[in-house]
Amino acid sequence: MTLLDLDPDQLLSTTRAVRKRLDFTRPVPDDAIRECVAMALQAPSGSNIVTMRFVVIRDEAKRRAVGDVYREVYAGYKASPGYPGKPTGDDARDAVQQRVASSADYLGEHMGDAPVLVLACNEGPNRQWAVAGMSNVIPATWSFMLAARARALGTAWTSMHLARERDVADILGLDYETVAQAVLTPVAYTKGTDFRPAGRPDPDEVIRWI
C-alpha cells in the first residue's frame, strides 16, 4: 500500500484518535489490514512469544452488534463523573474538553458503522495467562495504529466495551477463558490526512530526574 510522506516524529505525533473524520463509505482492503498486523507483530513480546491476536470484524451484523454494546456502555460513561464534557469552571479547558466529548459522543453512536472493527486480544492457555500477557498485545496495538496512520487509515483506541467483554466474546465466537480482549478500534480511511500534534505538557513537567 502507498504510504504517507511522514518522518518518524511526524508519524508518532500525528497518530491521533480519529472519530468524526473516519470515512465510513470507503472500503478498507484486506491487504491494508494485513500490512498493519505485520507491523504490529514486530512489536516487543515477552520471551519472543507471539500471543497477540487481531480479530478483524467485517461482517455487518457482527459489527452492528459490537457497536450496540459499545453504545450502551458509552451511555453509562456519559452519565458518569469522568465524562469529559462536564463543565469544570475553567473556560479554556472546558472548550477543549467539549470538543473531545463531542468527538467521543460521535464514535459512541457510530462505532458499528466503521467498515472494519479490529479487536486486539491476547491468547493464553487459560484466563489468568491470557490477562497476564497484556504487555504483549498493548505495544502491538499501538504499532498497528501507527502503521494504519502511515496508510491514511484512522483508528481510535477504546477499551470501554470491556465492561461487557463476555458479551462481545459471545457475539464473535471467542473463547472468553483463553482470549482476553484489550483494545477495540474502528479502522477506516480518514477524511483528509492532515492531523496535528495534540497539546501536551512540557516534558520537564512529567520527568523526574534522579
Side-chain angles (χ1 to χ4, degrees), residues 72-140:
E72 291 162 11
V73 175
Y74 186 85
Y77 166 68
K78 193 171 180 179
S80 75
Y83 177 65
K86 293 185 180 298
T88 66
D90 182 335
D91 291 344
R93 177 166 176 75
D94 286 351
V96 173
Q97 292 302 94
Q98 281 293 337
R99 291 195 295 271
V100 172
S102 175
S103 177
D105 290 351
Y106 180 83
L107 187 60
E109 289 297 321
H110 294 282
M111 177 70 83
D113 295 335
V116 180
L117 297 179
V118 172
L119 182 61
C121 307
N122 193 68
E123 188 171 24
N126 53 51
R127 181 71 184 174
Q128 181 179 356
W129 279 69
V131 172
M134 283 296 173
S135 57
N136 274 7
V137 70
I138 296 298

Side-chain angles (χ1 to χ4, degrees), residues 163-185:
R164 289 177 54 188
E165 182 180 357
R166 194 182 289 271
D167 290 341
V168 172
D170 290 344
I171 291 168
L172 301 177
L174 303 178
D175 182 0
Y176 178 82
E177 294 304 323
T178 61
V179 179
Q181 300 167 37
V183 178
L184 174 67
T185 180

